[in-house]
Amino acid sequence: MKKALFIASALSVMVLAGCSSKQVVSYGDATAVETTDINFGSTDLQTVANQMTDSLIASPIIGSLTQNKRPVVFVERLKNKTSEHIDTESITDSISTKVLRSGKFRFVDMSRVEAVRKQLNFQQTGGLVDPSKAIQFGQQVGAEYMLYGNLSSIVKTNEDKKDVYYKFTMRLMDLKSGIIEWADETEIRKTREKASIGW
């Protein structure tokens, strides 16, 4: 009897242990405010990308530059001047996508130049592509403008509080003249404080 009771108890403990370690996966709102920690996160990425592209698209200067044409732009990968590891390629991609969707600009993708060069070289020298249908070197359109920016931060801490200030700056340069046609910046401040324990 004692042996049966012991086995039943052991089985119930194993079942409960198995239940407690089971994980549940669910979908969340990708645009919901993310506050897991104080570091640069998805909400910050969406905020800076949206604010900067909205500013660029709404600028009267950009309106005059794009009134009768769609200038060609290349977007340089953003420089991360913070002490954190931040995926600046994701911010760059978000900004590029939103600006392209506006219909005001066309883009050249400088990150794919080497892949394009290999493909054109294959078409010209591989002997597998019909020469009359092969794309010739020197036919691509060059960029007229460069969109670039920096992300920097200032971090202050003491025993009870940590404060992080992010500053995101972007500029649009005319490659022919070197003139900056548009510039803007946006800021984010995040604070983490120790929770006070109340009775």
Side-chain angles (χ1 to χ4, degrees), residues 109-123 137 140:
D109 189 346
M110 297 306 295
S111 68
R112 298 294 176 256
V113 169
E114 191 54 39
V116 170
R117 188 191 321 273
K118 285 180 181 177
Q119 175 56 213
L120 293 180
N121 192 46
F122 166 76
Q123 291 187 24
F137 281 103
Q140 293 190 11

Side-chain angles (χ1 to χ4, degrees), residues 95-153:
I95 290 169
S96 300
T97 300
K98 190 166 183 183
V99 172
L100 189 60
R101 282 181 185 164
S102 75
K104 292 182 178 290
F105 293 98
R106 295 174 294 160
F107 286 87
V108 290
D109 189 346
M110 297 306 295
S111 68
R112 298 294 176 256
V113 169
E114 191 54 39
V116 170
R117 188 191 321 273
K118 285 180 181 177
Q119 175 56 213
L120 293 180
N121 192 46
F122 166 76
Q123 291 187 24
Q124 295 298 317
T125 61
L128 297 173
V129 177
D130 182 343
S132 66
K133 295 180 181 177
I135 297 172
Q136 302 297 313
F137 281 103
Q139 302 296 309
Q140 293 190 11
V141 175
E144 301 165 78
Y145 296 92
M146 177 173 73
L147 187 62
Y148 63 99
N150 299 311
L151 179 64
S152 58
S153 67

Side-chain angles (χ1 to χ4, degrees), residues 34 36-49 78 80 82 84-88 90-91 150-153 162 164-168 186-188 190:
E34 174 259 318
T36 305
D37 60 33
I38 198 168
N39 296 326
F40 195 89
S42 62
T43 300
D44 306 314
L45 186 154
Q46 292 166 355
T47 299
V48 297
L78 300 171
N80 179 11
T82 72
E84 295 177 49
H85 171 72
I86 296 174
D87 184 3
T88 55
S90 291
I91 305 172
N150 299 311
L151 179 64
S152 58
S153 67
K162 181 175 182 180
V164 183
Y165 165 80
Y166 294 102
K167 181 178 173 183
F168 182 55
T186 188
E187 301 162 310
I188 295 173
K190 299 171 84 173

